[in-house]
Amino acid sequence: MKHVLKAALIAAPLAFAGTAASADTFVRMVSGPAGGSWYPLGAKIMQVLGDEVPGISTSNTSGGGISNVKAVDGGDAEIGWSYAHTSYNGFAGRGKFTKKHENVRHFATLYPATFQVAVRADSPIKTFDDMKAANISPGKAGWTGTAFAESILKAYGFDFAKIKENGGTVHYVSYTESVALMKDGHVDVFMAATSVPQASFIELQHSPGIRFIGLSDDKLKQILNDNPGFITGSIPKSAYEGLSSDIPSLGIVTNMVVSKDLPDETVYQMCKSFWKNHAAFAEVKKVWNRVKVENALNGAAIPVHPGAQKCYDELGVKTGS
């Protein structure tokens, strides 16, 4: 494939100045963990962009919402998956960000993600209050879902440190590792901010069997008030087998950011190809059917890249809420 060949060429030593001058722009994506939706979608997106956009070489690697913003800001990647509120916090230097990351620009708003929390079906854990000494797996450090978990636990009066003090453990691992740990009985609680339904939870439903933990109305209101950018969400009873009712939870809006240093024309061409190939991405994950071009600027709380803005102006996309 063209983008693979390009990547190989770009990695090879460039012996002549003329060759260096004609080298492609390397567009590296940081997406999400194996077992989630971001990684396979990211792989397909970068394959398509690498094949269709002139003058770029592409790659896709795993990452997380917070770390991806840092990677794009710091020049370790050119495009990354995140969440609208995380992108804003990074740009403004708030929350988990200790400094402003002002080199990121909005590329596209995608779809909502829901915070999902599951325990083994035979677990005595019924609510978040019961997790104060549990063995939990909230995601890797630097992932938005992990920060999301901290925000929720804070509303219940404890945090990761307190869990450890009480004799519990916190496993900062990927979705795939979380599934293995829960199957082996080493994890009591698996948490993830991701699309619904999600493959890891489906796998755990089959073995060893799980229950989902929801949030009470008063806690939902408290967390929403304390965390601008969070939205109400739920796990519909139709999403997973065996659910008798919707599970109340929280949500966030998935987005993509790009480096401000990517040329306007490159981002413009990337944007056009990105939306033209919507059907191909939906074949990878059904959640992509929820991605709509008319929502591409919804929740854009950081500056939109000029190349993307030109694309959206042509497509008639207006700034959303």
Side-chain angles (χ1 to χ4, degrees):
M1 290 183 289
K2 186 186 78 172
H3 65 287
V4 174
L5 293 174
K6 286 182 178 179
L9 288 171
I10 207 74
L14 300 176
F16 301 99
T19 305
S22 62
D24 292 336
T25 298
F26 200 5
V27 180
R28 300 162 294 177
M29 172 177 278
V30 278
S31 55
S37 298
W38 290 6
Y39 188 85
L41 282 167
K44 181 63 175 180
I45 290 166
M46 297 316 281
Q47 175 195 329
V48 168
L49 297 187
D51 287 342
E52 290 195 358
V53 178
I56 69 170
S57 305
T58 62
S59 67
N60 173 58
T61 58
S62 61
I66 295 172
S67 59
N68 290 351
V69 172
K70 294 178 178 178
V72 173
D73 176 75
D76 295 318
E78 285 68 45
I79 183 168
W81 294 62
S82 191
Y83 298 96
H85 80 280
T86 301
S87 301
Y88 173 74
N89 284 346
F91 189 83
R94 296 174 41 177
K96 289 292 181 180
F97 297 90
T98 58
K99 67 173 186 177
K100 294 181 178 181
H101 294 74
E102 298 180 321
N103 295 325
V104 295
R105 296 292 182 267
H106 183 81
F107 179 73
T109 295
L110 307 179
Y111 54 84
T114 302
F115 189 68
Q116 301 169 69
V117 181
V119 298
R120 293 172 65 101
D122 58 359
S123 172
I125 296 173
K126 305 296 183 184
T127 72
F128 285 90
D129 281 316
D130 299 328
M131 300 178 192
K132 293 177 180 176
N135 300 314
I136 73 169
S137 182
K140 287 188 175 181
W143 285 5
T144 293
T146 307
F148 213 143
E150 286 186 287
S151 299
I152 291 175
L153 297 182
K154 181 180 178 181
Y156 285 85
F158 64 101
D159 56 17
F160 293 162
K162 195 65 177 178
I163 288 176
K164 295 174 184 178
E165 287 178 20
N166 293 337
T169 56
V170 180
H171 298 269
Y172 299 102
V173 297
S174 68
Y175 292 170
T176 303
E177 292 170 296
S178 296
V179 169
L181 287 169
M182 182 167 272
K183 285 186 174 183
D184 292 341
H186 297 302
V187 160
D188 304 314
V189 186
F190 172 36
M191 306 176 176
T194 184
S195 55
V196 180
Q198 204 276 333
S200 299
F201 291 104
I202 293 173
E203 182 176 349
L204 287 170
Q205 269 200 313
H206 294 151
S207 175
I210 54 174
R211 285 185 290 105
F212 288 95
I213 304 294
L215 287 158
S216 63
D217 286 343
D218 62 324
K219 291 300 182 185
L220 279 170
K221 291 176 182 177
Q222 177 184 341
I223 296 166
L224 287 169
N225 184 62
D226 292 342
N227 296 275
F230 288 3
I231 60 175
T232 55
S234 70
I235 304 171
K237 64 179 180 180
S238 60
Y240 299 103
E241 294 178 7
L243 294 184
S244 58
S245 62
D246 296 349
I247 308 296
S249 188
L250 291 158
I252 39 184
V253 180
T254 309
N255 75 338
M256 283 187 188
V257 298
V258 293
S259 169
K260 72 174 182 61
D261 296 327
L262 271 180
D264 292 358
E265 180 63 20
T266 297
V267 176
Y268 169 70
Q269 295 294 338
M270 287 169 57
C271 181
K272 290 206 302 180
S273 178
F274 180 83
W275 291 107
K276 184 184 76 172
N277 288 282
H278 185 282
F281 306 147
E283 290 179 3
V284 177
K285 288 288 181 179
K286 290 181 180 179
V287 70
W288 202 262
N289 289 314
R290 300 168 65 189
V291 178
K292 308 293 183 183
V293 67
E294 58 265 30
N295 298 327
L297 297 177
N298 285 0
I302 64 173
V304 180
H305 193 287
Q309 187 64 63
K310 177 184 175 182
C311 171
Y312 293 131
D313 287 344
E314 291 183 359
L315 293 171
V317 179
K318 305 298 182 182
T319 302
S321 57

